[in-house]
């Protein structure tokens, strides 16, 4: 992994100066010419650095005067607090899907002008044309493609490129041990069905992705929610406590990298410890690793499976958030459960059709994939920063937010226990969709949280919508 | 539905003459010129009729002499006998998927020269190029297709064409009440999960499609096998008997039209009676209607759902066998369970991607679809006839076979209880794949049956493979 480009390093330098108060709001930053001389960089690098800081909302350009540090109306957002590693709630699941389904249904009753509820980025963030061209080529080269059924677990070229890519996450897996699925959702279904039965207890992060709660409920399994840190993910202490109380935990499901909704990233030491912990107890460890390509930083993040020695880790991932929201391409490497997962996939939906796999294989096999990811990470970084800044500026005091090192989402804690479902309803009335915190737990612990998607380029419309949302929150916060 | 073309009617006339012995093997049939005069048809019609009878193996052309009735070495195949409507075996399911998986695995250990085990026709039978062109057009018109996720139960144009098509099966359903799935396999999974729980008893036909037994086993449900007629499908008497013994039947799953493997078609009276029977007992009725477009005859076949008044019939179907083996496009109309099925689909695999739906919608909305189906039915009819004739000519005396009114398969009963798994193994050694009868039941009732796919154009290679298969059967039949 290459280090950050020069202009980013330069911007970072001045960001640090602003954060530490060396440069104060209203201060003029050195001119482009001075930057060139001071740092020995080219005109274009100096310009790019300034423009990035401007698009991140740190600087404002004043015509014929140069760049100035912007005034912030509020202090930077406080981070989300660490959870207390207490015992989880007793395993329960009744009604979660009704709650989720009801809110989802209400969310789709009318079109919205601004959608902060999406699971991936705006279409413009993805290389749809490049994928389209690759698909068109595959159709030209294989005119008989729709005439015969795929008869294996995935297209060889696609599995090969996935196996090569897995090396970046420090996973060594043979192409034929990767089973292509209809998205990560199907992969998670297969993983859970392979290792657990209806009635079994599954440990999950808290808060966790509501899709997982819905899957567990639909399979008749019970979610045991383990407190999780906005910085380091699932609390291993809380998991140990839970295991002492519940002796029937069958599997642990976690998102180790850029957890949804927290954005946390498990440190390598925690990853190693969790794998060993599960292995020692013969508890299956299922990882949902859909976001890791969206993490910033110098080195790609390792998957839990990197520490797997006994085949007890099931790795699930997809292209949905990182490459192609319009393709249902996921995969699973299920270790010692691979044969059972293959049987379940065959009996649940048969092998995936080939066209999307062929197109994705071509694109991912080219340099365009890494270029796309680099651009995507940069866009998301800038968009997250702008949304966070707008929240800091507009939301009532006491609002907190996550500050993830990558990804699509911000996890926002509202002040004064503002009920997120009321925010959801009033925002919908104003043409704005958000995901209320109630969706992320079977408990009421996150009722005053919101998940905001930052996948859409920051426009005046987005800025206005955040102001409207802030007003909704403020109104509800003022209520006795 | 138009009636058969003139040349088919003419061929039918002479087939009847051969079957009734009016024309005997070796007899010369009237010359083309005579046919034109006798029947008042054009030269091309008379020629087409003769060529069809030749390709069906009824006539042989002798240079400069005309067409002659071919010698048959054996009498026509005896039909499969009707089952006795006794009580079914006690519900059992343990181990079926292992048996299926083991045979499937052995079947894929080596490539085969001739495959009689396929689930659909040869690639040449499907309009892959037309679908390819439609897909390429969709990609041109929607360059951003892969950039955003599908957010509903199916592409509107595809659902609309499916709803229009359903009218032919006498089903009235709104486009938005059709949920697009990953093939009929996913539709059946969703249907069963919507109406039943692990441990529940599900009545199925016997013999039945092994894919269904595998689905039931993987969902922890128990198959109760109901004797079924090669002519009229599931025995309603046997079902009534079963219901008197087992009071916990949760659902009935049937293939009403061209049952797999029997090829039976339920008469309309039976369909009406089964729907009413299930309705009166609040038992869900799930139909797998994947084959009906392959049925011959003047009018399309009605689906069970045509008689549904209470929403108790779940209709499942797909394009896999009739249009595009290379697309995983199925659908489900689940009546009163629609909301639950939609929730399960969302939580199992999210909505299908759009490209294949768009391509299929364009093709199915054009006249090309009906032309394709007419040609496909005609090819399958001819291929079934030729395989049946080869079996009659080559297999040991006592061999029986189904004579379905359409579809892809023949269901062959071997004489003297020849074990089909031994046939399978020895055929594999000779480079030929068949599906042994053991796959179609949890009992041993069909151990001496084979299912033969007739979806491949009849060539010398196919003829030779059938001769080899006959020798295998004969050798095993001679064993004490």
């Amino acid at each position: 992994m290459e280090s950050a480009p020069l202009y980013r390093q330069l911007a970072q330098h001045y960001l640090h100066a602003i954060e530490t108060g060396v440069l104060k709001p209203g201060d003029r930053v050195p001119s482009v010419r001075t930057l060139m001389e001071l740092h020995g960089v080219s005109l274009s690098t100096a310009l790019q650095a300034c423009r990035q800081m401007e698009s991140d909302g740190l600087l404002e350009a004043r015509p014929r005067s140069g760049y100035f540090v912007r005034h912030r109306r509020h202090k930077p957002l406080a981070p989300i607090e660490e959870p207390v590693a207490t015992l989880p709630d007793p395993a329960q699941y009744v009604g979660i899907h009704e709650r989720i389904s009801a809110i989802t249904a209400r969310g789709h009753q009318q079109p919205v002008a601004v959608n902060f509820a999406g699971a991936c980025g705006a279409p413009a963030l993805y290389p749809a044309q490049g994928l389209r061209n690759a698909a068109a080529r595959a159709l030209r080269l294989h005119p008989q493609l729709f005439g015969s059924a795929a008869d294996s677990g995935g297209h060889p070229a696609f599995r090969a490129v996935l196996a090569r890519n897995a090396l970046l996450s420090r996973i060594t897996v043979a192409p034929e041990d990767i089973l292509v699925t209809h998205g990560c959702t199907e992969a998670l279904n297969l993983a859970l069905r392979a290792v657990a039965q209806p009635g079994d207890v599954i440990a999950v992060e808290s808060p966790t992705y509501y899709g997982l709660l819905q899957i567990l409920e639909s399979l008749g399994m019970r979610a045991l929610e383990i407190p999780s840190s906005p910085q380091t993910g699932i609390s291993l202490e809380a998991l140990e406590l839970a295991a002492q109380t519940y002796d029937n935990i069958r599997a642990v499901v976690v998102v180790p990298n850029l957890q949804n909704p927290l954005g946390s990233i498990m440190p390598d030491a925690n990853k190693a410890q969790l794998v060993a912990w599960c292995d020692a107890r013969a508890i299956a460890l299922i990882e949902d690793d859909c976001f890791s390509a969206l993490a910033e930083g110098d080195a790609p993040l390792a998957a839990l499976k990197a520490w797997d020695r006994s085949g007890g880790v099931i790795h699930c991932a997809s292209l949905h958030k990182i490459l192609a929201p319009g393709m249902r391409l996921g995969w699973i490497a299920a270790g010692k459960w691979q044969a059972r997962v293959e049987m379940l996939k065959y009996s649940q939906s048969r092998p995936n059709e080939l066209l999307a796999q062929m197109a994705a294989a071509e694109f991912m096999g080219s340099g365009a994939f890494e270029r796309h990811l680099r651009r995507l990470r940069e866009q998301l970084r800038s968009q997250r920063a702008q949304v966070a800044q707008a929240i800091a500026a507009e939301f009532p005091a006491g609002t907190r937010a996550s500050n993830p090192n990558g990804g699509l989402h911000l996890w926002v804690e509202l002040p004064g226990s503002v009920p997120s479902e009321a925010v959801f309803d009033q925002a919908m009335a104003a043409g704005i969709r958000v995901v209320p915190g109630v969706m992320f737990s079977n408990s009421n612990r996150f009722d005053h949280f919101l998940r905001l998607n930052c996948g859409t380029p920051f426009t005046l419309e987005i800025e206005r919508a955040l102001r409207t949302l802030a007003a909704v929150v403020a109104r509800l916060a003022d209520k006795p």
Side-chain angles (χ1 to χ4, degrees), chain A:
Chain A
M1 196 84 169
E2 64 221 282
S3 58
L6 213 51
Y7 79 92
R8 283 279 309 274
Q9 295 179 29
L10 192 57
Q12 204 65 36
H13 177 76
Y14 283 91
L15 169 64
H16 186 71
I18 293 168
E19 281 177 347
T20 52
V22 172
L23 282 172
K24 295 193 171 49
D27 280 357
R28 190 178 188 279
V29 294
S31 71
V32 169
R33 182 165 307 269
T34 313
L35 288 175
M36 289 167 64
E37 286 164 8
L38 268 176
H39 301 280
V41 297
S42 69
L43 173 66
S44 88
T45 298
L47 262 176
Q48 233 180 327
C50 290
R51 280 186 193 135
Q52 194 210 298
M53 288 188 281
E54 185 187 9
S55 86
D56 286 358
L58 295 168
L59 305 185
E60 57 188 340
R62 295 187 197 153
R64 280 179 301 274
S65 308
Y67 284 97
F68 293 79
V69 178
R70 276 184 67 163
H71 284 273
R72 302 201 186 200
R73 269 170 281 177
H74 285 266
K75 278 185 223 159
L77 280 167
I80 304 285
E81 287 185 346
E82 289 293 318
V84 185
T86 48
L87 273 186
D89 286 344
Q92 57 160 18
Y93 67 97
V94 176
I96 177 65
H97 88 79
E98 263 120 42
R99 176 150 63 166
I100 293 172
S101 300
I103 294 174
T104 307
R106 256 147 64 205
H108 287 86
Q109 267 163 10
Q110 58 198 83
V112 289
V114 178
N115 185 11
F116 293 114
C120 39
L125 270 63
Y126 297 99
Q129 294 256 12
L131 291 167
R132 190 270 301 256
N133 294 344
R137 256 191 305 279
L139 284 172
R140 268 201 309 279
L141 288 171
H142 306 277
Q144 300 299 324
L145 196 62
F146 294 131
S148 51
D151 69 347
S152 75
H155 190 277
F158 184 52
R159 287 164 124 181
V161 91
L162 291 177
R164 254 198 325 276
N165 241 36
L167 292 173
L168 293 175
S169 309
R170 297 191 239 155
I171 301 175
T172 314
V173 63
E176 56 272 22
D177 291 332
I178 295 172
L179 181 69
V180 177
T181 61
H182 294 296
C184 191
T185 300
E186 189 181 46
L188 288 171
N189 271 271
L190 297 172
L192 285 162
R193 292 181 62 194
V195 303
Q197 298 293 321
D200 280 347
V201 171
I202 312 295
V204 303
E205 296 145 323
S206 187
T208 191
Y209 169 47
Y210 53 86
L212 176 60
L213 294 174
Q214 204 176 23
I215 291 171
L216 290 173
E217 199 283 338
S218 75
L219 294 175
M221 297 172 188
R222 299 194 290 164
L224 182 66
E225 300 185 19
I226 310 294
S228 297
S229 152
Q231 302 302 325
T232 57
I234 192 165
S235 158
L236 300 180
E237 298 71 34
L239 185 60
E240 173 59 34
L241 270 173
Q244 286 167 15
T245 312
Y246 301 91
D247 60 0
N248 56 348
I249 298 175
R250 187 70 57 152
V252 179
V253 184
V254 296
V255 181
N257 300 319
L258 295 174
Q259 200 263 3
N260 180 1
L262 290 172
S264 57
I265 294 174
M266 290 178 73
D268 279 0
N270 289 30
K271 287 173 179 167
Q273 199 183 331
L274 178 59
V275 172
W277 188 91
C278 287
D279 195 37
R281 283 156 192 78
I283 293 175
L285 179 53
I286 300 169
E287 69 174 325
D288 169 351
D289 199 25
C290 287
F291 297 96
S292 57
L294 303 184
E296 294 165 28
D298 289 341
L301 299 173
L304 290 173
K305 200 162 177 62
W307 284 270
D308 186 18
R309 296 293 165 268
S310 66
V313 179
I314 303 183
H315 180 80
C316 304
S318 84
L319 297 182
H320 192 245
K321 284 123 174 74
I322 63 171
L323 179 66
M327 291 176 168
R328 292 293 313 146
L329 281 184
W331 60 93
I332 184 169
K336 63 183 170 195
W337 290 284
Q338 189 71 9
R340 180 155 169 79
V341 162
E342 281 173 11
M343 186 280 284
L344 288 170
K345 163 69 174 161
Y346 185 81
S347 111
Q348 180 166 299
S349 67
R350 298 284 184 273
N352 280 40
E353 57 276 89
L354 297 176
L355 179 58
Q357 296 180 61
M358 294 162 84
E362 184 192 312
F363 192 89
M364 292 174 75
S366 76
F369 184 48
E370 187 48 41
R371 282 196 300 278
H372 152 69
L373 286 178
R374 222 177 301 140
R375 201 163 40 227
L376 176 61
R377 282 190 289 261
E378 177 51 32
Q379 281 173 295
L380 291 178
R381 194 196 56 72
S382 160
Q383 290 163 201
R384 277 196 322 275
Q386 290 173 291
V387 173
Q389 197 185 323
I391 293 172
E394 307 284 353
F395 274 51
T399 299
R400 293 167 174 271
S402 62
N403 182 22
N405 199 27
L408 289 151
H409 300 117
L410 289 181
W411 181 236
V412 180
E413 183 173 5
L414 305 177
S417 298
V418 169
S420 62
E421 218 173 324
V423 176
F424 169 82
D425 283 327
Q426 296 190 20
M428 276 300 290
I432 301 164
R433 196 181 293 144
V434 298
V435 189
V438 290
M439 305 270 283
F440 296 87
S441 169
N442 288 332
S443 77
N444 299 319
R445 250 192 304 271
F446 303 101
D447 279 7
H448 59 299
F449 281 79
L450 297 178
R451 191 191 71 181
L452 296 185
N453 177 303
C454 308
T456 306
F458 198 82
T459 57
L460 216 57
E461 194 184 20
I462 299 271
E463 199 170 0
R464 248 187 254 123
L466 286 168
R467 207 169 299 140
T468 305
L469 202 55
V472 166
V473 172
R475 225 170 19 242
L476 287 162
D478 284 345
K479 274 196 188 154

PDB file of all heavy atoms in Angstrom, chain A residues 227-250:
ATOM      1  N   PRO A 227     -21.959  -5.545  24.285  1.00  0.00           N
ATOM      2  CA  PRO A 227     -21.542  -4.145  24.188  1.00  0.00           C
ATOM      3  C   PRO A 227     -20.297  -3.999  23.311  1.00  0.00           C
ATOM      4  O   PRO A 227     -19.372  -4.822  23.397  1.00  0.00           O
ATOM      5  CB  PRO A 227     -21.243  -3.769  25.644  1.00  0.00           C
ATOM      6  CG  PRO A 227     -22.127  -4.656  26.447  1.00  0.00           C
ATOM      7  CD  PRO A 227     -22.191  -5.957  25.685  1.00  0.00           C
ATOM      8  N   SER A 228     -20.299  -2.962  22.488  1.00  0.00           N
ATOM      9  CA  SER A 228     -19.191  -2.785  21.550  1.00  0.00           C
ATOM     10  C   SER A 228     -18.706  -1.356  21.569  1.00  0.00           C
ATOM     11  O   SER A 228     -19.489  -0.415  21.707  1.00  0.00           O
ATOM     12  CB  SER A 228     -19.654  -3.171  20.139  1.00  0.00           C
ATOM     13  OG  SER A 228     -20.006  -4.535  20.117  1.00  0.00           O
ATOM     14  N   SER A 229     -17.408  -1.221  21.407  1.00  0.00           N
ATOM     15  CA  SER A 229     -16.769   0.091  21.512  1.00  0.00           C
ATOM     16  C   SER A 229     -16.771   0.794  20.161  1.00  0.00           C
ATOM     17  O   SER A 229     -16.501   0.170  19.129  1.00  0.00           O
ATOM     18  CB  SER A 229     -15.335  -0.092  21.995  1.00  0.00           C
ATOM     19  OG  SER A 229     -14.520   0.958  21.532  1.00  0.00           O
ATOM     20  N   PRO A 230     -17.023   2.104  20.152  1.00  0.00           N
ATOM     21  CA  PRO A 230     -16.946   2.855  18.892  1.00  0.00           C
ATOM     22  C   PRO A 230     -15.525   2.909  18.351  1.00  0.00           C
ATOM     23  O   PRO A 230     -15.324   3.247  17.196  1.00  0.00           O
ATOM     24  CB  PRO A 230     -17.449   4.248  19.260  1.00  0.00           C
ATOM     25  CG  PRO A 230     -17.467   4.307  20.749  1.00  0.00           C
ATOM     26  CD  PRO A 230     -17.492   2.918  21.269  1.00  0.00           C
ATOM     27  N   GLN A 231     -14.552   2.564  19.177  1.00  0.00           N
ATOM     28  CA  GLN A 231     -13.166   2.554  18.701  1.00  0.00           C
ATOM     29  C   GLN A 231     -12.703   1.156  18.314  1.00  0.00           C
ATOM     30  O   GLN A 231     -12.142   0.959  17.241  1.00  0.00           O
ATOM     31  CB  GLN A 231     -12.223   3.098  19.805  1.00  0.00           C
ATOM     32  CG  GLN A 231     -12.556   4.512  20.272  1.00  0.00           C
ATOM     33  CD  GLN A 231     -12.524   5.532  19.147  1.00  0.00           C
ATOM     34  OE1 GLN A 231     -11.703   5.426  18.238  1.00  0.00           O
ATOM     35  NE2 GLN A 231     -13.426   6.503  19.181  1.00  0.00           N
ATOM     36  N   THR A 232     -12.920   0.184  19.194  1.00  0.00           N
ATOM     37  CA  THR A 232     -12.274  -1.122  19.022  1.00  0.00           C
ATOM     38  C   THR A 232     -13.251  -2.278  18.797  1.00  0.00           C
ATOM     39  O   THR A 232     -12.855  -3.434  18.787  1.00  0.00           O
ATOM     40  CB  THR A 232     -11.423  -1.446  20.264  1.00  0.00           C
ATOM     41  OG1 THR A 232     -12.286  -1.411  21.410  1.00  0.00           O
ATOM     42  CG2 THR A 232     -10.321  -0.413  20.444  1.00  0.00           C
ATOM     43  N   GLY A 233     -14.527  -1.950  18.596  1.00  0.00           N
ATOM     44  CA  GLY A 233     -15.486  -3.009  18.266  1.00  0.00           C
ATOM     45  C   GLY A 233     -15.925  -3.816  19.471  1.00  0.00           C
ATOM     46  O   GLY A 233     -15.897  -3.339  20.617  1.00  0.00           O
ATOM     47  N   ILE A 234     -16.297  -5.056  19.212  1.00  0.00           N
ATOM     48  CA  ILE A 234     -16.921  -5.894  20.236  1.00  0.00           C
ATOM     49  C   ILE A 234     -16.029  -5.958  21.490  1.00  0.00           C
ATOM     50  O   ILE A 234     -14.806  -6.106  21.393  1.00  0.00           O
ATOM     51  CB  ILE A 234     -17.230  -7.296  19.683  1.00  0.00           C
ATOM     52  CG1 ILE A 234     -18.135  -8.072  20.636  1.00  0.00           C
ATOM     53  CG2 ILE A 234     -15.954  -8.072  19.391  1.00  0.00           C
ATOM     54  CD1 ILE A 234     -18.772  -9.296  19.994  1.00  0.00           C
ATOM     55  N   SER A 235     -16.661  -5.851  22.642  1.00  0.00           N
ATOM     56  CA  SER A 235     -15.911  -5.903  23.897  1.00  0.00           C
ATOM     57  C   SER A 235     -15.636  -7.357  24.255  1.00  0.00           C
ATOM     58  O   SER A 235     -16.556  -8.143  24.496  1.00  0.00           O
ATOM     59  CB  SER A 235     -16.713  -5.225  25.012  1.00  0.00           C
ATOM     60  OG  SER A 235     -16.272  -5.693  26.270  1.00  0.00           O
ATOM     61  N   LEU A 236     -14.370  -7.706  24.308  1.00  0.00           N
ATOM     62  CA  LEU A 236     -14.018  -9.100  24.587  1.00  0.00           C
ATOM     63  C   LEU A 236     -14.303  -9.439  26.045  1.00  0.00           C
ATOM     64  O   LEU A 236     -14.614 -10.584  26.370  1.00  0.00           O
ATOM     65  CB  LEU A 236     -12.557  -9.349  24.220  1.00  0.00           C
ATOM     66  CG  LEU A 236     -12.228  -9.081  22.735  1.00  0.00           C
ATOM     67  CD1 LEU A 236     -10.761  -9.344  22.443  1.00  0.00           C
ATOM     68  CD2 LEU A 236     -13.105  -9.913  21.812  1.00  0.00           C
ATOM     69  N   GLU A 237     -14.224  -8.429  26.922  1.00  0.00           N
ATOM     70  CA  GLU A 237     -14.565  -8.659  28.323  1.00  0.00           C
ATOM     71  C   GLU A 237     -16.050  -8.992  28.435  1.00  0.00           C
ATOM     72  O   GLU A 237     -16.443  -9.926  29.145  1.00  0.00           O
ATOM     73  CB  GLU A 237     -14.265  -7.413  29.166  1.00  0.00           C
ATOM     74  CG  GLU A 237     -12.798  -6.989  29.202  1.00  0.00           C
ATOM     75  CD  GLU A 237     -12.331  -6.405  27.867  1.00  0.00           C
ATOM     76  OE1 GLU A 237     -13.140  -5.748  27.188  1.00  0.00           O
ATOM     77  OE2 GLU A 237     -11.161  -6.628  27.500  1.00  0.00           O
ATOM     78  N   ALA A 238     -16.885  -8.202  27.740  1.00  0.00           N
ATOM     79  CA  ALA A 238     -18.325  -8.450  27.807  1.00  0.00           C
ATOM     80  C   ALA A 238     -18.670  -9.814  27.212  1.00  0.00           C
ATOM     81  O   ALA A 238     -19.555 -10.518  27.699  1.00  0.00           O
ATOM     82  CB  ALA A 238     -19.083  -7.342  27.071  1.00  0.00           C
ATOM     83  N   LEU A 239     -17.939 -10.188  26.168  1.00  0.00           N
ATOM     84  CA  LEU A 239     -18.190 -11.489  25.545  1.00  0.00           C
ATOM     85  C   LEU A 239     -17.853 -12.613  26.522  1.00  0.00           C
ATOM     86  O   LEU A 239     -18.596 -13.596  26.657  1.00  0.00           O
ATOM     87  CB  LEU A 239     -17.354 -11.609  24.265  1.00  0.00           C
ATOM     88  CG  LEU A 239     -17.573 -12.860  23.412  1.00  0.00           C
ATOM     89  CD1 LEU A 239     -19.023 -12.956  22.944  1.00  0.00           C
ATOM     90  CD2 LEU A 239     -16.636 -12.863  22.206  1.00  0.00           C
ATOM     91  N   GLU A 240     -16.734 -12.445  27.229  1.00  0.00           N
ATOM     92  CA  GLU A 240     -16.334 -13.444  28.221  1.00  0.00           C
ATOM     93  C   GLU A 240     -17.377 -13.539  29.337  1.00  0.00           C
ATOM     94  O   GLU A 240     -17.788 -14.634  29.744  1.00  0.00           O
ATOM     95  CB  GLU A 240     -14.951 -13.048  28.784  1.00  0.00           C
ATOM     96  CG  GLU A 240     -14.456 -13.891  29.948  1.00  0.00           C
ATOM     97  CD  GLU A 240     -14.327 -15.362  29.610  1.00  0.00           C
ATOM     98  OE1 GLU A 240     -13.988 -15.670  28.447  1.00  0.00           O
ATOM     99  OE2 GLU A 240     -14.571 -16.208  30.500  1.00  0.00           O
ATOM    100  N   LEU A 241     -17.836 -12.380  29.805  1.00  0.00           N
ATOM    101  CA  LEU A 241     -18.892 -12.352  30.828  1.00  0.00           C
ATOM    102  C   LEU A 241     -20.139 -13.078  30.338  1.00  0.00           C
ATOM    103  O   LEU A 241     -20.757 -13.869  31.056  1.00  0.00           O
ATOM    104  CB  LEU A 241     -19.263 -10.898  31.150  1.00  0.00           C
ATOM    105  CG  LEU A 241     -18.498 -10.209  32.269  1.00  0.00           C
ATOM    106  CD1 LEU A 241     -18.871  -8.740  32.335  1.00  0.00           C
ATOM    107  CD2 LEU A 241     -18.811 -10.895  33.610  1.00  0.00           C
ATOM    108  N   ALA A 242     -20.509 -12.804  29.076  1.00  0.00           N
ATOM    109  CA  ALA A 242     -21.717 -13.415  28.507  1.00  0.00           C
ATOM    110  C   ALA A 242     -21.569 -14.934  28.457  1.00  0.00           C
ATOM    111  O   ALA A 242     -22.502 -15.683  28.777  1.00  0.00           O
ATOM    112  CB  ALA A 242     -21.975 -12.860  27.113  1.00  0.00           C
ATOM    113  N   ALA A 243     -20.360 -15.389  28.080  1.00  0.00           N
ATOM    114  CA  ALA A 243     -20.150 -16.831  27.949  1.00  0.00           C
ATOM    115  C   ALA A 243     -20.218 -17.527  29.303  1.00  0.00           C
ATOM    116  O   ALA A 243     -20.566 -18.705  29.394  1.00  0.00           O
ATOM    117  CB  ALA A 243     -18.797 -17.100  27.274  1.00  0.00           C
ATOM    118  N   GLN A 244     -19.892 -16.772  30.369  1.00  0.00           N
ATOM    119  CA  GLN A 244     -19.985 -17.369  31.702  1.00  0.00           C
ATOM    120  C   GLN A 244     -21.445 -17.523  32.135  1.00  0.00           C
ATOM    121  O   GLN A 244     -21.764 -18.374  32.957  1.00  0.00           O
ATOM    122  CB  GLN A 244     -19.213 -16.504  32.713  1.00  0.00           C
ATOM    123  CG  GLN A 244     -17.701 -16.653  32.566  1.00  0.00           C
ATOM    124  CD  GLN A 244     -16.940 -15.588  33.340  1.00  0.00           C
ATOM    125  OE1 GLN A 244     -17.506 -14.909  34.195  1.00  0.00           O
ATOM    126  NE2 GLN A 244     -15.661 -15.437  33.034  1.00  0.00           N
ATOM    127  N   THR A 245     -22.296 -16.691  31.568  1.00  0.00           N
ATOM    128  CA  THR A 245     -23.714 -16.740  31.936  1.00  0.00           C
ATOM    129  C   THR A 245     -24.520 -17.646  30.997  1.00  0.00           C
ATOM    130  O   THR A 245     -25.384 -18.390  31.428  1.00  0.00           O
ATOM    131  CB  THR A 245     -24.318 -15.320  31.890  1.00  0.00           C
ATOM    132  OG1 THR A 245     -23.442 -14.442  32.599  1.00  0.00           O
ATOM    133  CG2 THR A 245     -25.692 -15.296  32.515  1.00  0.00           C
ATOM    134  N   TYR A 246     -24.221 -17.543  29.707  1.00  0.00           N
ATOM    135  CA  TYR A 246     -24.949 -18.343  28.724  1.00  0.00           C
ATOM    136  C   TYR A 246     -24.006 -19.407  28.182  1.00  0.00           C
ATOM    137  O   TYR A 246     -23.020 -19.082  27.524  1.00  0.00           O
ATOM    138  CB  TYR A 246     -25.444 -17.463  27.581  1.00  0.00           C
ATOM    139  CG  TYR A 246     -26.356 -16.354  28.053  1.00  0.00           C
ATOM    140  CD1 TYR A 246     -25.844 -15.108  28.400  1.00  0.00           C
ATOM    141  CD2 TYR A 246     -27.723 -16.566  28.196  1.00  0.00           C
ATOM    142  CE1 TYR A 246     -26.676 -14.100  28.852  1.00  0.00           C
ATOM    143  CE2 TYR A 246     -28.564 -15.562  28.650  1.00  0.00           C
ATOM    144  CZ  TYR A 246     -28.029 -14.336  28.982  1.00  0.00           C
ATOM    145  OH  TYR A 246     -28.852 -13.352  29.435  1.00  0.00           O
ATOM    146  N   ASP A 247     -24.319 -20.672  28.445  1.00  0.00           N
ATOM    147  CA  ASP A 247     -23.383 -21.700  27.990  1.00  0.00           C
ATOM    148  C   ASP A 247     -23.785 -22.260  26.629  1.00  0.00           C
ATOM    149  O   ASP A 247     -23.246 -23.254  26.187  1.00  0.00           O
ATOM    150  CB  ASP A 247     -23.278 -22.819  29.029  1.00  0.00           C
ATOM    151  CG  ASP A 247     -24.624 -23.487  29.270  1.00  0.00           C
ATOM    152  OD1 ASP A 247     -25.613 -23.062  28.625  1.00  0.00           O
ATOM    153  OD2 ASP A 247     -24.683 -24.418  30.083  1.00  0.00           O
ATOM    154  N   ASN A 248     -24.763 -21.600  25.983  1.00  0.00           N
ATOM    155  CA  ASN A 248     -25.232 -22.146  24.701  1.00  0.00           C
ATOM    156  C   ASN A 248     -25.007 -21.188  23.533  1.00  0.00           C
ATOM    157  O   ASN A 248     -25.768 -21.174  22.571  1.00  0.00           O
ATOM    158  CB  ASN A 248     -26.721 -22.498  24.802  1.00  0.00           C
ATOM    159  CG  ASN A 248     -27.546 -21.286  25.227  1.00  0.00           C
ATOM    160  OD1 ASN A 248     -26.988 -20.272  25.660  1.00  0.00           O
ATOM    161  ND2 ASN A 248     -28.851 -21.397  25.090  1.00  0.00           N
ATOM    162  N   ILE A 249     -23.967 -20.363  23.605  1.00  0.00           N
ATOM    163  CA  ILE A 249     -23.647 -19.486  22.467  1.00  0.00           C
ATOM    164  C   ILE A 249     -23.076 -20.357  21.347  1.00  0.00           C
ATOM    165  O   ILE A 249     -22.093 -21.058  21.537  1.00  0.00           O
ATOM    166  CB  ILE A 249     -22.624 -18.409  22.862  1.00  0.00           C
ATOM    167  CG1 ILE A 249     -23.217 -17.514  23.965  1.00  0.00           C
ATOM    168  CG2 ILE A 249     -22.232 -17.575  21.650  1.00  0.00           C
ATOM    169  CD1 ILE A 249     -22.229 -16.483  24.497  1.00  0.00           C
ATOM    170  N   ARG A 250     -23.729 -20.305  20.202  1.00  0.00           N
ATOM    171  CA  ARG A 250     -23.324 -21.196  19.114  1.00  0.00           C
ATOM    172  C   ARG A 250     -22.359 -20.509  18.149  1.00  0.00           C
ATOM    173  O   ARG A 250     -21.516 -21.146  17.542  1.00  0.00           O
ATOM    174  CB  ARG A 250     -24.585 -21.641  18.347  1.00  0.00           C
ATOM    175  CG  ARG A 250     -24.360 -22.676  17.301  1.00  0.00           C
ATOM    176  CD  ARG A 250     -24.022 -24.004  17.910  1.00  0.00           C
ATOM    177  NE  ARG A 250     -25.070 -24.430  18.836  1.00  0.00           N
ATOM    178  CZ  ARG A 250     -25.363 -25.680  19.129  1.00  0.00           C
ATOM    179  NH1 ARG A 250     -24.676 -26.658  18.571  1.00  0.00           N
ATOM    180  NH2 ARG A 250     -26.313 -25.978  19.980  1.00  0.00           N
TER     181      ARG A 250
END
